[in-house]
Amino acid sequence: MARPRTFDEAAVVESAAELFARRGFDAVSIDDLVGHLGVHRHSLYRTFGSKRGLYLRALRATRKRNLYAIAASGDPLEILYTAVISEGIGSLDLLLMAAIEQGAADPEVAAEVAGAFAEVDAVTAALGDGTLSTATLLGLRIRARAGEDVARIAGEFTKRTQADQ
């Protein structure tokens, strides 16, 4: 008889998403996951099938949770803050890492990335004023990961947006 699961699956997926977002799929080993998540190797394989299975679950869950939060806002400044500046937002980081690292090699990852880009495109297009785009969000997130002060850039964006109104 199998032992009952002793971990919160959603919490494990979220924590794995953060690790994959920081380091990428290729740089994370099963040993890294076991150590970071505090879950036994056998439990990971039994629940997710493989590292790739956990990665896909993390990508889908993060896309659904965080990109939905971006879409639900409708306010360009709040979208900018949520997607680019706020601490702990992993959806764009994981999306960027997935697009760069796995998108060309893995059709399932490519489909998730394309779907996420389409969702963000729909949000920014619905704003209708052309002040925000998916490329802008992704570019600012890359600059933030490189250590640039994107809060300053966002402040300039805010001033321009308010001046245009």
Side-chain angles (χ1 to χ4, degrees):
M1 184 164 126
R3 291 177 22 198
R5 186 172 297 147
T6 59
F7 61 90
D8 178 345
E9 194 171 319
V12 165
V13 169
E14 185 174 333
S15 188
E18 291 169 6
L19 186 61
F20 287 129
R22 271 197 319 273
R23 295 176 40 195
F25 178 81
D26 291 333
V28 174
S29 69
I30 288 292
D31 288 337
D32 294 332
L33 288 166
V34 166
H36 180 78
L37 303 173
V39 176
H40 295 289
R41 177 184 310 268
H42 179 73
S43 295
L44 283 177
Y45 281 113
R46 188 177 58 230
T47 304
F48 303 105
S50 64
K51 179 177 97 167
R52 181 180 176 275
L54 175 55
Y55 179 76
L56 286 168
R57 283 276 303 275
L59 184 59
R60 289 175 182 134
T62 302
R63 172 185 168 191
K64 182 178 179 180
R65 183 185 62 249
N66 294 70
L67 293 179
Y68 176 79
I70 292 169
S73 166
D75 174 4
L77 301 180
E78 189 175 330
I79 291 170
L80 182 68
Y81 178 81
T82 301
V84 177
I85 299 168
S86 67
E87 292 299 317
I89 188 85
S91 63
L92 289 180
D93 287 356
L94 186 55
L95 178 60
L96 287 166
M97 291 298 280
I100 293 165
E101 186 183 54
Q102 297 295 311
D106 188 323
E108 275 188 276
V109 171
E112 286 298 321
V113 169
F117 283 158
E119 290 167 2
V120 177
D121 286 343
V123 171
T124 59
L127 295 172
D129 61 6
T131 57
L132 194 61
S133 71
T134 304
T136 300
L137 291 174
L138 295 173
L140 286 172
R141 190 62 208 145
I142 289 169
R143 291 172 76 169
R145 281 192 67 140
E148 194 165 337
D149 181 8
V150 294
R152 177 189 56 77
I153 296 168
E156 293 170 10
F157 173 80
T158 302
K159 288 177 191 170
R160 268 184 296 164
T161 302
Q162 290 171 345
D164 290 345
Q165 293 176 356

